């Protein structure tokens, strides 16, 4: 295969009780149907609230199953719970093995690796990091094995949380500790991927569209496909809009295209809170 076309969607936050998020997903689905990439990757928060609603997870999978192309997934904190950090309050809800298992049973694998167009593609579960769960060590062992088999190919990493804001050693703060891969797992990942030709880190989670290069690695933050978070609730780092990201991979190079599906709208988080009533 000389070219591999991949579409990244993220933070779809699907649940039956949110018609606006469902409508945005349908607009994304129509765009994918017209474009027909080789693969769709959802980089997490596939469901609105997986830890408390198995139906959210099942409903989200049913909508993805109707897409006309193959999909892969990695979980977000809304799917399986959040990872603990050295700073800030304990996550609500915390990552739990039962929620991770539910994601795998309904949605699919929460970590994976494959080759296409001369590249190695790796997706990992960032929410188990710093959790102490048995799977955290299992995934690091698996990742060590996968990295050992890269054999000089360029690598694209898909992960829910961005590794960092601007620099690998950015200090964690109580306000932003849940936004990025926490230390010390972050440092361990950076050291591991320093052994290979990592070219791309594609993430979601922040609900802001961002694209920057640090050293030779391009960091692409996909926006939410579902909704945006206003500046009163979240500081503005980049572009706050709904959308998706398209990639074309060829041996030794790749292209990135930032797009919005026709008819996709910017739903503010306040609209969702209003629909939830006293839930949040």
């Amino acid at each position: 295969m000389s070219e591999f076309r991949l579409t990244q969607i993220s933070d779809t936050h699907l649940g039956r009780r949110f018609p606006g998020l469902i409508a945005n997903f349908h607009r994304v689905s129509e765009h994918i149907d017209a474009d027909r990439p080789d693969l769709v990757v959802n980089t997490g928060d596939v469901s609105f609230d997986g830890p408390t609603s198995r139906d959210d997870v099942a409903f989200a999978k049913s909508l993805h199953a109707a897409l006309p192309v193959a999909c892969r997934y990695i979980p977000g904190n809304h799917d399986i719970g959040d990872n603990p950090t050295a700073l800030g309050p304990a996550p609500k809800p915390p990552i739990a093995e039962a929620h991770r298992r539910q994601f795998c049973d309904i949605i699919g694998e929460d970590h994976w690796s494959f080759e296409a167009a001369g590249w190695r593609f790796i997706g990992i579960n960032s929410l188990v990091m710093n959790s102490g769960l048995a799977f955290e060590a299992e995934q690091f062992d698996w990742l060590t094995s996968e990295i050992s088999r890269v054999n000089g190919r360029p690598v694209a990493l898909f992960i829910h949380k961005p590794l960092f804001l601007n620099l690998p050693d950015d200090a964690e703060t109580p306000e932003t500790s849940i936004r990025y891969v926490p230390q010390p797992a972050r440092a361990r990942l950076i050291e591991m991927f320093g052994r290979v030709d990592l070219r791309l880190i594609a993430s979601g989670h922040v609900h802001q569209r961002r694209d920057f290069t640090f050293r030779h690695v391009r960091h692409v933050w996909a926006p939410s496909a579902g909704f945006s978070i206003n500046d009163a609730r979240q500081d503005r780092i980049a572009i706050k809009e709904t959308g998706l990201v398209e990639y074309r991979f060829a041996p030794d190079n790749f292209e990135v295209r930032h797009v919005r599906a026709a008819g996709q709208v910017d739903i503010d988080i306040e609209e969702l809170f209003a629909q939830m009533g006293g839930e949040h």
Side-chain angles (χ1 to χ4, degrees), residues 74-93:
I74 51 176
N77 48 296
H78 280 256
D79 299 313
I80 63 174
D82 213 342
N83 41 358
T85 61
L87 299 172
K92 295 181 181 180

Side-chain angles (χ1 to χ4, degrees), residues 1-81:
M1 181 185 296
S2 60
E3 182 180 81
F4 184 72
R5 297 169 57 238
L6 184 152
T7 294
Q8 180 192 3
I9 59 176
S10 198
D11 300 86
T12 45
H13 289 276
L14 291 164
R16 296 181 198 275
R17 60 202 182 281
F18 299 107
L21 303 184
I22 296 170
N24 266 346
F25 187 82
H26 284 321
R27 302 295 83 76
V28 168
S29 299
E30 290 163 0
H31 179 89
I32 291 169
D33 187 29
D35 189 58
R36 296 295 175 107
D38 297 300
L39 180 71
V40 170
V41 172
N42 189 323
T43 45
D45 286 354
V46 182
S47 61
F48 192 84
D49 193 358
T52 65
S53 176
R54 182 182 178 89
D55 183 69
D56 279 3
V57 184
F59 178 68
K61 178 56 185 283
S62 71
L63 292 184
H64 284 76
L67 290 170
V69 298
C71 296
R72 288 183 182 262
Y73 312 85
I74 51 176
N77 48 296
H78 280 256
D79 299 313
I80 63 174

Side-chain angles (χ1 to χ4, degrees), residues 85-89 165 170-180 186:
T85 61
L87 299 172
L165 175 59
D170 282 342
E172 291 183 312
T173 69
E175 295 76 22
T176 65
S177 59
I178 62 171
R179 189 174 291 168
Y180 310 104
R186 180 199 309 173

Side-chain angles (χ1 to χ4, degrees), residues 175-228:
E175 295 76 22
T176 65
S177 59
I178 62 171
R179 189 174 291 168
Y180 310 104
V181 174
Q183 297 285 18
R186 180 199 309 173
R188 184 175 181 183
L189 281 176
I190 291 169
E191 188 275 330
M192 292 175 75
F193 279 97
R195 305 169 197 164
V196 297
D197 183 15
L198 180 64
R199 303 275 188 94
L200 169 69
I201 301 176
S203 61
H205 185 57
V206 187
H207 288 235
Q208 298 191 42
R209 186 191 294 282
R210 191 178 185 214
D211 189 336
F212 71 98
T213 299
F214 178 78
R215 295 181 178 153
H216 68 286
V217 181
R218 191 164 177 178
H219 297 250
V220 175
W221 298 10
S224 168
F227 68 91
S228 60

Side-chain angles (χ1 to χ4, degrees), residues 107-266:
I107 298 288
E109 293 179 311
D110 64 345
H111 65 297
W112 37 262
S113 177
F114 66 92
E115 293 177 12
W119 285 69
R120 169 68 69 170
F121 296 85
I122 298 176
I124 59 173
N125 180 342
S126 65
L127 282 309
V128 297
M129 293 175 182
N130 287 11
S131 69
L133 294 176
F135 178 71
E136 179 182 6
E138 293 170 15
Q139 181 175 239
F140 270 122
D141 288 345
W142 170 86
L143 186 57
T144 297
S145 175
E146 291 300 315
I147 285 175
S148 72
R149 298 192 295 114
V150 166
N151 293 326
R153 299 177 186 87
V155 175
L157 172 65
F158 290 81
I159 189 168
H160 181 60
K161 292 186 175 183
L163 270 186
F164 50 79
L165 175 59
N166 293 314
L167 298 170
D169 57 354
D170 282 342
E172 291 183 312
T173 69
E175 295 76 22
T176 65
S177 59
I178 62 171
R179 189 174 291 168
Y180 310 104
V181 174
Q183 297 285 18
R186 180 199 309 173
R188 184 175 181 183
L189 281 176
I190 291 169
E191 188 275 330
M192 292 175 75
F193 279 97
R195 305 169 197 164
V196 297
D197 183 15
L198 180 64
R199 303 275 188 94
L200 169 69
I201 301 176
S203 61
H205 185 57
V206 187
H207 288 235
Q208 298 191 42
R209 186 191 294 282
R210 191 178 185 214
D211 189 336
F212 71 98
T213 299
F214 178 78
R215 295 181 178 153
H216 68 286
V217 181
R218 191 164 177 178
H219 297 250
V220 175
W221 298 10
S224 168
F227 68 91
S228 60
I229 304 173
N230 60 66
D231 291 354
R233 290 190 177 271
Q234 179 202 55
D235 53 312
R236 181 178 292 268
I237 301 168
I239 300 169
K240 293 188 174 185
E241 65 177 14
T242 56
L244 58 152
V245 187
E246 297 175 341
Y247 303 86
R248 288 178 181 267
F249 293 91
D252 205 40
N253 66 78
F254 70 104
E255 299 176 359
V256 180
R257 183 169 175 249
H258 295 279
V259 299
R260 275 165 66 93
Q264 204 173 4
V265 299
D266 292 327

